Every structure is written in structure tokens, then in C-alpha cells.
Amino acid sequence: MRSFRSYGKFSAVLIGRGIVRHWHKSLLAGAVGLLTVFLLSVYAKNLESTVSQLSALPGAMPITGKISNLNGSLDANLKIPERTVQGIQDAKEITNVVFTVLLRAGLGVFTLEEWEGNLNFFIVATNNLAGVPGLQREEIRFLDGVDERILETEEAVCMIDRSTMEQNNLALGDTIFLTYFYYHYADAESNEVLIKPLGSGNCRIVGVMEIQEYTGTVGCPHLILPFESARKLFHEREIPFTADSISFTVRDPFALNACKDELHDLRLLPVSKNAEPRFDGNAVTLRDDAFIRAAENLRESLAILKGMLPFVLCMLVFAGYLCSYLLIQDRRTEYAIMRSLGMSWRHCFLILLAENCVIETAACLVGTLAAVLLWQPRFPVLLMADGIFLGAFLLGCAAALGSFGSLSVMAVLGKGD
């Protein structure tokens, strides 16, 4: 153990003396290392930033879609068949789906002939508050224990506009009896919209709303129902169910083709501007242009940066080799003396390599500190830059120092070199 410590202490003294004795060369090698580490940290930062931007792109720029008619002129007030509704609900590559159904209703019981003067309520049935454009969560006061998730159920409940509630002397928590009518889209040739009876039933008021800035294309709703509760009314009366609008978000924009395949399997068509205007919701519009352009630009940048990495590594190895080769040319006599004193070639090699390692490690620390002060990169980025530099540079140094193994000690000392 004592001999090992003495050996290590002796080696450390030789390394320190070598660095001090050749201080001007040490400074030059350190300056080269400092500049290289600094540039590498810039490269690593750009690489990490590009990867981060690409991974964050789906959240920053989601791809949204809507069901529309074939010529794309309508994405609401449509006749969307139930098989499409169910298919969208079951789709694996689609999320954040918003469905709406438009209904009319009035208080109490009345016949079809008595609809005028009684059919006072315009209703939107939806599974999400986003189905009512402009409505904010803060504009609704719910009963205790109730929130907007009630819209995801099929309970016979509603949210009512405050002015409508006051005009009809109603209060939060009241149960009202409503007679419902639905919009029936006639044959494709006439494009006629009729109002037909849907039935009646009790409905409990669980929320009061005051919409300040309604931005929808149809009238501001007096009542909002859960989407599935409206769907249930159609099923109970054995009336073919259709939705008014469907919007959604692609779950993984990088798997856009898989999403398109699912939509194609639902027999949804791409928009054709030359098609006749109809109410049939049989086409889909995807807003994917911006995402595709951004993703392509980031992928091109990432490919360029990754493509540069082998070149960067080769240049670092070459720089390490050249720098070491030039700096050790006048140290052959020093090497020969160490060998003549009984030191092995391996020991001499490690001493000279350790000198370079100490110098370049110090350069790494200074370069890293400069990078932190300038743009505060993350620790993994700095570790990557330092690791690439030390690994490649010292590999070049080892290749240059390896040339000492072929030197003849007697020839070097004989020449007084």
C-alpha cells in the first residue's frame, strides 16, 4: 500500500512539474480546449432545444378536426348519423371530442299544432362546455356537488340562462317538465329542415349561466343538456339519432396517418369544394397544415445537427491528435530520460496523457462556467458537451502519444535531442 501511494505521489509530482515547466504550451492547449468546449456547448444546446421543441410541438400546436358537409361550407347545423358519432367515440387516435345536438322545447305539454307560442327554448345538448362557443366556466353557478362533468352523463338535468329562469319564475334546483322537438333534415334534394316532436319529460335545473360573449353561429341557448341525455330521448322514441356538430383533437399528431385511417374507416370523405351544398355531415376537415410545416422544419434542423455529430467527433479527435503531436515534439528528450531512469513506456504514456487530461478538464470547467453565465443550459447538455470533448480530444492525444512507443531511447539521448 505504501509503495502504491509513493508511486501515485511521484506520478502526480511529475504531472504537475510537466504542466508548470511547459506553462506556455499548457495555456495554449487549455485555450484550444476552452474554445472547443464553448462551441460544443452551443451545439449541444441547439440539439437539445430542437429535440425539446419537437417533443413539445403536439401540445403547442395541436391538430384539430371537425365533421363538415362535403363541400366544407358547414361544420354545424348538420345531419351526422349515429354510426359516425359512435365511431368517433370509439376511435383510439382521437381525443377531446365535443358533440352537439340542437333541440327546441317548451314548458308543459302541448301538441304539434300548438308549438307556436309554446316552443320558447332553444337548446344545445353537448358533452362539453366547449360545445357552446363563448361560454366560460366562471359564468355558471352550479348546485352544490355538481360541476361541468354532469354534461358527460345521461342524467335528465339542464343548465338554464338566468334571464330565462327569472322570466319563468324558476330557481336553481327546480324540476321542470319540458316538451321537446328536434330538427329533421328532409331528403338531400330539398335540403328542407323541419321541426318534429321528440317527446317530453322532467328535467332538473342544476346550473344557472350568464353568457357574456356568445360567439356561436346559431342563437344563444336558453338551456344546455347533457349530450347523452338528448341521445337517450331519440332512442326511447325510436327516432333515428343525428348530431349537429362534432369537433375533436388528434391524440398524437405524429401518428396523423393512423388517425386518418380511422376516419376513412368511418366512411368520412375529404372536403371537395365542387360538391353540392348539403346538410349531410359526411366529410372531415383537419387543420394540420401548420403542424406539418413546423414538424418538417424541426426535423430538418434535427437531421442537420445529428448529421454534423460524426464530423464534429472526427474533428475533435484530429484536433486532439494534432495539438498533442505539436506540443510534444520537443519533449522526446524528456521522455527518453524518464525511460532511462527505469520508467516503463506505459508509465511515461500515462504521465503525459494525464497532463493533457488535467489541462483539458480545467478547460472544460472554465468553458462550462462561461456557458452557464451566458445562457444557462441544463446540466445534461453541459455533461454531453464535456463528455464528447474529453472523450474525443483525449483519444486524439493518446494516438499522438502512442508514437513515442517506437522511439529509440539510446538514439534520442545520443543525438542530444
Side-chain angles (χ1 to χ4, degrees):
M1 179 65 70
R2 182 176 299 175
S3 61
F4 179 77
R5 289 179 180 176
S6 300
Y7 181 84
K9 184 176 181 180
F10 173 70
S11 299
V13 170
L14 287 179
I15 293 169
R17 286 181 178 178
I19 294 174
V20 174
R21 184 182 300 116
H22 304 282
W23 62 270
H24 55 291
K25 294 182 179 180
S26 300
L27 286 177
L28 179 59
V32 172
L34 174 62
L35 179 61
T36 305
V37 168
F38 188 78
L39 294 177
L40 264 179
S41 64
V42 174
Y43 168 80
K45 174 66 175 177
N46 287 336
L47 182 63
E48 188 261 351
S49 177
T50 303
V51 172
S52 178
Q53 289 179 53
L54 190 59
S55 62
L57 191 60
M61 196 176 291
I63 296 178
T64 59
K66 287 188 175 183
I67 304 302
S68 69
N69 61 351
L70 192 55
N71 74 347
S73 60
L74 293 175
D75 56 26
N77 305 324
L78 295 170
K79 181 175 65 175
I80 305 173
E82 187 167 14
R83 62 176 177 79
T84 301
V85 173
Q86 192 61 50
I88 292 292
Q89 285 180 322
D90 297 338
K92 296 179 180 179
E93 299 298 330
I94 289 174
T95 187
N96 299 330
V97 185
V98 179
F99 300 102
T100 65
V101 177
L102 301 184
L103 302 173
R104 298 294 296 273
L107 286 173
V109 180
F110 53 89
T111 64
L112 177 61
E113 292 74 19
E114 297 172 328
W115 72 269
E116 191 173 0
N118 289 293
L119 210 57
N120 300 320
F121 298 156
F122 175 66
I123 297 176
V124 173
T126 182
N127 65 319
N128 193 294
L129 291 181
V132 184
L135 176 61
Q136 304 298 319
R137 171 62 180 82
E138 297 76 18
E139 296 173 340
I140 306 173
R141 181 167 61 90
F142 288 101
L143 279 175
D144 291 341
V146 179
D147 58 25
E148 63 271 19
R149 288 175 294 183
I150 195 73
L151 294 176
E152 300 173 8
T153 71
E154 58 178 29
E155 294 186 39
V157 296
C158 69
M159 289 177 281
I160 188 170
D161 175 66
R162 177 175 294 278
S163 61
T164 302
M165 182 180 70
E166 293 173 349
Q167 288 171 8
N168 292 275
N169 297 317
L170 300 172
L172 187 62
D174 286 352
T175 297
I176 55 178
F177 190 86
L178 295 173
T179 297
Y180 298 99
F181 283 70
Y182 72 98
Y183 292 92
H184 173 73
Y185 296 85
D187 60 86
E189 296 299 326
S190 65
N191 268 347
E192 186 179 6
V193 183
L194 306 174
I195 296 179
K196 292 190 172 185
L198 182 59
S200 57
N202 289 320
C203 184
R204 188 185 184 204
I205 301 173
V206 296
V208 181
M209 59 185 179
E210 283 188 279
I211 306 177
Q212 301 297 323
E213 296 183 10
Y214 179 69
T215 58
T217 57
V218 295
C220 186
H222 302 100
L223 299 174
I224 298 176
L225 303 181
F227 174 78
E228 291 297 340
S229 71
R231 190 177 180 182
K232 186 178 179 180
L233 289 172
F234 283 83
H235 290 170
E236 289 174 348
R237 276 72 180 180
E238 297 183 350
I239 298 173
F241 173 76
T242 60
D244 172 76
S245 72
I246 301 177
S247 62
F248 57 87
T249 301
V250 176
R251 185 178 300 277
D252 181 7
F254 292 120
L256 179 60
N257 288 334
C259 179
K260 288 182 177 180
D261 289 341
E262 284 190 331
L263 295 171
H264 182 266
D265 292 341
L266 295 175
R267 288 181 277 179
L268 292 170
L269 304 172
V271 170
S272 174
K273 297 296 183 182
N274 297 324
E276 291 292 327
R278 302 292 187 210
F279 289 113
D280 298 285
N282 55 2
V284 61
T285 301
L286 290 174
R287 294 178 175 85
D288 56 358
D289 292 345
F291 178 88
I292 291 174
R293 286 196 302 270
E296 286 178 348
N297 291 335
L298 287 172
R299 280 173 171 160
E300 288 177 3
S301 300
L302 188 60
I304 292 173
L305 288 170
K306 287 184 175 180
M308 289 173 59
L309 187 56
F311 175 76
V312 170
L313 291 176
C314 290
M315 290 300 297
L316 284 174
V317 172
F318 178 75
Y321 176 85
L322 184 62
C323 185
S324 295
Y325 182 81
L326 294 175
L327 294 178
I328 65 175
Q329 287 307 297
D330 60 349
R331 300 188 67 178
R332 294 182 181 182
T333 302
E334 182 180 345
Y335 166 77
I337 292 174
M338 287 192 293
R339 288 298 309 278
S340 67
L341 293 176
M343 294 177 62
S344 65
W345 173 85
R346 181 181 177 183
H347 191 188
C348 295
F349 172 84
L350 292 176
I351 291 295
L352 295 175
L353 183 63
E355 286 185 21
N356 284 280
C357 185
V358 170
I359 294 170
E360 302 310 333
T361 300
C364 278
L365 293 175
V366 176
T368 298
L369 179 60
V372 169
L373 293 176
L374 286 176
W375 56 75
Q376 299 179 341
R378 297 191 307 118
F379 177 74
V381 174
L382 296 174
L383 191 62
M384 174 185 172
D386 293 344
I388 290 175
F389 167 72
L390 284 176
F393 197 87
L394 292 179
L395 181 62
C397 293
L401 294 171
S403 64
F404 274 8
S406 60
L407 290 179
S408 171
V409 175
M410 298 303 296
V412 172
L413 294 176
K415 291 180 180 179
D417 191 5

